[in-house]
Structures are given as structure tokens and as C-alpha cells.
Amino acid sequence: MVRQLIMEFVILIGYGTLEWITIKLFKLPKRRNTWLWATLLMILSFWNLGFYWYCYVLIVWMLLSIGLIFLQLTVAHQFIYRQYWPAFWRVTLVVSVVAFLVSLTGSYLPVV
């Protein structure tokens, strides 16, 4: 358990350092790749939780994504991908951070 936790934080710190070096080396704008962070955190959450509990994360993620579509339809009366995708990835990042933090205590969840 502790070994896996250390490995996950090494992966996160390693990716963050790699992204920081790439931004500095190629003089890129300081824009984080939200989709990469969200995907990495979702993979690590799946690694911690397993198939059964990770399904609940996916259900919440999908419901929030559909809710975001309905929100855009009610506010703007149209669905525009250019407006949807940045908001989608921000919501995905929030869900994946929460899922990762909850998955750190995944060993205490009951096995079904």
C-alpha cells in the first residue's frame, strides 16, 4: 500500500516536472494540459479502486458531462463544441482530483 502510494506520487511529480521542463525549454505559454492531468489522475484512481468502485466515478463523471451539455443548452440555446470542451476538461479534472483523493483510502473500502 505504501509502496503504491509512493509510486503514484513519484509519477505525478515526475509528470509535473516533465511538463515544467518542456514549458521552460521550448518557451511555451504557461498553459497546463488539463486533459493530460485529468487522464493521468483517472488512471491512477482506477489503479487504486479497481473495477467495482471505479464504475461509480465513471457514473458521476458521465452525469456531470451530460449536465454540462444541458447547462449549455439552457443558457446559450445551442451546443457549441468550442465552448463545451474546455469546460468539460475542467469538470473532468475536478472529478479526477476528487476521485484520486478518495482512492487513496481505497484499501479501506469493503470488497464486494
Side-chain angles (χ1 to χ4, degrees):
M1 177 65 190
V2 175
R3 196 181 245 176
Q4 183 177 351
L5 184 65
I6 292 171
M7 176 72 81
E8 289 171 2
F9 282 114
V10 165
I11 290 170
L12 290 174
I13 292 170
Y15 176 70
T17 306
L18 179 69
E19 185 179 49
W20 179 75
I21 289 172
T22 306
I23 288 171
K24 291 291 184 187
L25 189 64
F26 295 113
K27 306 217 188 284
L28 298 173
K30 292 185 180 182
R31 193 172 154 257
R32 297 275 182 204
N33 286 332
T34 311
W35 66 275
L36 282 172
W37 279 103
T39 305
L40 180 63
L41 287 171
M42 287 289 224
I43 290 169
L44 291 177
S45 299
F46 175 72
W47 190 19
N48 287 338
L49 292 174
F51 285 117
Y52 181 79
W53 290 107
Y54 189 71
C55 291
Y56 291 107
V57 174
L58 289 180
I59 290 169
V60 169
W61 177 53
M62 289 178 191
L63 288 175
L64 286 174
S65 300
I66 292 170
L68 193 61
I69 290 172
F70 285 127
L71 180 69
Q72 186 178 4
L73 286 173
T74 57
V75 170
H77 302 292
Q78 58 185 347
F79 180 71
I80 302 171
Y81 278 109
R82 181 169 276 174
Q83 293 175 353
Y84 174 74
W85 284 116
F88 169 77
W89 285 112
R90 283 191 295 269
V91 167
T92 302
L93 184 62
V94 170
V95 169
S96 62
V97 166
V98 170
F100 178 71
L101 292 176
V102 169
S103 75
L104 293 177
T105 61
S107 62
Y108 301 113
L109 294 172
V111 177
V112 177

